[in-house]
Amino acid sequence: MMDVNEKLTKIEKAVLEEYLKKTSSSKRLYERAVNVFPAGVTYHLRWFHPYPFYVSRAEGPYVWDVDGNMYVDFWMGHGSQLLGHKSKIVLKGVSKYLEELGSHVGYEHRLAVEYAEFLSETIPCVEELRFTNSGTEAAMYAIRLARAYTGKLKIVKVNGGWHGGYDTLHVGTAPPYSEPGSAGLPYDTVKYTVTVPFNDLETLEEALRSRDVAAFIVEPVLGAGGIIEARKEYLKGARELTERYDSLLIFDEVITMFRLALGGAQEVYNVVPDIAILGKAIGGGFPGSGAFGGIREIMEKINHIKYTEPQMRSAHGGTFTGNPVTLAAGYAMASYLKENRWIYEKTNELWNNVRREIQKTCCSSGIKCYATGLGSMLGIHFTNTRPWRNEEAVLGRWCDRIYEIMHLYFRVNGVIYLPENEALLLPSLIHGDSEAKKLIETFSKFISEVA
Ligand code: PMP
């Protein structure tokens, strides 16, 4: 009898051969790309073994590569394309404003007011907001605002929490959690950042107790950290603790906003933070998507008419901030979702079923594996126990190489997600039964070959 490792080696050899056969045009593009990009890619997340395929067409829940292979897409523009690729609803919304305003005027316009009104009606914590050009920027300005408002310096974040590339938050994103997450990040930029395990109120309280913390920032469902949902009592507890110790609570809803519900995870969990960070889908899948918003009293710290001295207020700006293209795309997507709220119940049920099916497959095969997440956020983990925090998802793996081999196996079977060393799936809200079935079948086939 072959053991799991031997079986994985055999599977890897076969699927690698198939991938090479199917992707010769991609290979040629990659050979050019390595000369102009570090590692040959525009973003390290988009690289996989032995080279990425190059997409030439995208539509709905599918992408096609330059060799004509079709894939069911579970990455969907980093989770930004909630209505599928090339959504007609979104494109129509954008073209109207492109005709009226062009791509960017740099003045105030009606659309920004209307979309901001929409967001403040829809998102429980938002009374006022400001748009940014990315989730990273939103996080940066939210942290600055929290510090300006509270007069405190420390920020508490979660191990494995990913809020973009802003220095203060680029720490504790992966083990060992005490280290900055990049070279070129001086200790000075992260010395006020404290990291704690997710879903653990005791350590959070320890971190907050000294009352010198400006804010606790947390994704209600860990995204890059493993698609792990907060336990119900965790977010409620975090709300109580931050109030008790005079810190702000910031929800990073870059992934969860519009995805889990129109009002994001704060609506689902019924916990209202002080500030929310937004990105991805709030720009309707168009570039330059980001915003941060919260209760008026805090947001007013940005008001330059009230706080005339720069030293008294929290600064915010940006050339393409509030540009009509991104806002029109986001507004079109959001308005459609508001008119079709039934989508949420259907989608959440679909992916709950998928989680159950994956779990069943794992249990009956004897391969240790766990399906995590909430609604259309799905994580698959080959770990010894069901992960409730990033430590368990990363350090608790019984096998590391199975992730990359599964990724390659999925690819040659017409299913794609990123990154290759974690299985984090972000289907759109228009992915339906047949895409879910394709995923379950491919997973079951893979597991049956491994078991
Ligand atoms: N927060 C979360 C939860 C994210 O997933 C991301 C991006 N994946 C960011 C913030 C940063 O957003 P952006 O890539 O737009 O800067």
Side-chain angles (χ1 to χ4, degrees):
M1 281 270 282
M2 273 197 273
D3 70 7
V4 167
N5 249 319
E6 284 170 332
K7 283 184 189 164
L8 284 174
T9 303
K10 192 172 155 229
I11 296 168
E12 185 179 24
K13 191 167 174 284
V15 285
L16 181 59
E17 220 169 85
E18 207 178 332
Y19 184 73
L20 295 174
K21 233 190 273 167
K22 287 175 105 169
T23 57
S24 55
S25 304
S26 280
K27 184 164 185 276
R28 282 196 293 278
L29 273 172
Y30 183 65
E31 283 161 1
R32 288 164 56 190
V34 289
N35 292 318
V36 283
F37 297 124
V41 280
T42 51
Y43 185 177
H44 74 86
L45 275 181
R46 298 175 186 154
W47 190 91
F48 40 77
H49 283 93
Y51 50 81
F53 59 69
Y54 289 75
V55 173
S56 57
R57 195 181 143 208
E59 185 136 8
Y62 309 112
V63 292
W64 286 260
D65 69 18
V66 286
D67 289 284
N69 302 301
M70 181 179 120
Y71 306 84
V72 182
D73 188 5
F74 287 91
W75 178 239
M76 298 305 297
H78 297 231
S80 65
Q81 305 292 354
L82 282 189
L83 293 181
H85 291 297
K86 249 171 63 186
S87 158
K88 288 201 171 61
I89 294 149
V90 174
L91 291 180
K92 208 170 131 206
V94 172
S95 60
K96 176 173 178 276
Y97 284 97
L98 265 177
E99 264 169 42
E100 277 177 22
L101 292 169
S103 60
H104 187 38
V105 286
Y107 298 109
E108 295 304 315
H109 51 85
R110 175 191 291 269
L111 170 65
V113 181
E114 283 178 4
Y115 191 27
E117 283 172 349
F118 178 100
L119 293 169
S120 77
E121 276 161 28
T122 311
I123 305 170
C125 79
V126 172
E127 288 178 334
E128 293 185 5
L129 64 88
R130 279 284 175 91
F131 293 109
T132 62
N133 295 295
S134 66
T136 300
E137 253 187 50
M140 175 182 84
Y141 284 122
I143 294 299
R144 178 182 291 179
L145 175 62
R147 284 172 165 162
Y149 178 78
T150 60
K152 302 176 187 185
L153 277 175
K154 272 195 195 158
I155 300 295
V156 178
K157 75 174 284 290
V158 155
N159 290 334
W162 175 249
H163 310 287
Y166 169 48
D167 287 4
T168 293
L169 298 172
H170 206 154
V171 58
T173 52
Y177 300 102
S178 53
E179 301 293 318
S182 168
L185 279 184
Y187 173 69
D188 274 0
T189 63
V190 298
K191 71 179 175 195
Y192 297 114
T193 310
V194 178
T195 67
V196 294
F198 188 52
N199 273 323
D200 180 344
L201 287 171
E202 237 170 77
T203 3
L204 177 61
E205 181 161 15
E206 263 168 48
L208 294 173
R209 200 171 278 139
S210 56
R211 292 180 188 271
D212 57 358
V213 172
F216 171 50
I217 180 167
V218 64
E219 298 160 80
V221 181
L222 278 191
I227 311 260
I228 300 169
E229 72 280 23
R231 285 188 152 122
K232 265 204 186 109
E233 71 278 7
Y234 180 63
L235 296 180
K236 282 207 161 59
R239 178 67 283 183
E240 280 165 27
L241 289 174
T242 44
E243 269 169 16
R244 189 181 311 156
Y245 295 109
D246 302 318
S247 302
L248 300 186
L249 177 63
I250 303 177
F251 277 0
D252 182 338
E253 297 234 40
V254 167
I255 298 179
T256 48
M257 188 52 67
F258 295 170
R259 173 177 287 279
L260 299 182
L262 206 58
Q266 51 193 281
E267 179 187 321
V268 175
Y269 281 94
N270 196 19
V271 176
V272 182
D274 299 299
I275 301 173
I277 292 167
L278 312 171
K280 299 195 194 278
I282 71 136
F286 265 63
S289 172
F292 62 110
I295 62 170
R296 195 176 312 282
E297 187 187 312
I298 298 169
M299 292 302 292
E300 278 296 300
K301 198 69 186 163
I302 296 172
N303 188 337
H304 74 287
I305 301 167
K306 240 186 216 174
Y307 300 101
T308 48
E309 297 299 317
Q311 292 74 25
M312 288 166 67
R313 65 173 185 263
S314 185
H316 158 257
T319 299
F320 286 101
T321 294
N323 75 80
V325 175
T326 313
L327 300 197
Y331 196 20
M333 182 183 277
S335 305
Y336 176 84
L337 290 170
K338 189 176 181 186
E339 284 157 23
N340 295 276
R341 276 191 190 242
W342 54 269
I343 264 183
Y344 289 108
E345 205 176 315
K346 185 174 155 273
T347 304
N348 293 343
E349 196 185 311
L350 176 66
W351 299 105
N352 282 339
N353 272 336
V354 169
R355 264 183 288 276
R356 270 194 294 272
E357 286 298 318
I358 287 176
Q359 206 58 71
K360 249 199 270 169
T361 305
C362 296
C363 287
S364 58
S365 67
I367 294 291
K368 253 197 190 158
C369 175
Y370 299 91
T372 57
L374 196 66
S376 59
M377 296 176 73
L378 168 67
I380 303 174
H381 302 270
F382 296 96
T383 47
N384 293 309
T385 56
R386 199 278 193 202
W388 283 104
R389 59 194 61 169
N390 185 252
E391 293 86 327
E392 290 160 348
V394 180
L395 304 172
R397 294 176 173 193
W398 57 263
C399 181
D400 242 338
R401 61 194 285 255
I402 192 168
Y403 289 86
E404 279 171 21
I405 296 168
M406 181 166 91
H407 192 267
L408 189 54
Y409 187 94
F410 273 37
R411 251 183 281 154
V412 300
N413 282 284
V415 175
I416 184 70
Y417 57 85
L418 291 183
E420 67 170 347
N421 58 355
E422 292 173 279
L424 312 177
L425 285 72
L426 295 170
S428 78
L429 303 181
I430 63 147
H431 278 58
D433 292 340
S434 69
E435 289 76 46
K437 192 165 162 241
K438 171 80 179 168
L439 177 70
I440 292 166
E441 278 174 5
T442 311
F443 181 76
S444 303
K445 222 168 90 182
F446 174 68
I447 292 295
S448 71
E449 288 191 34
V450 177

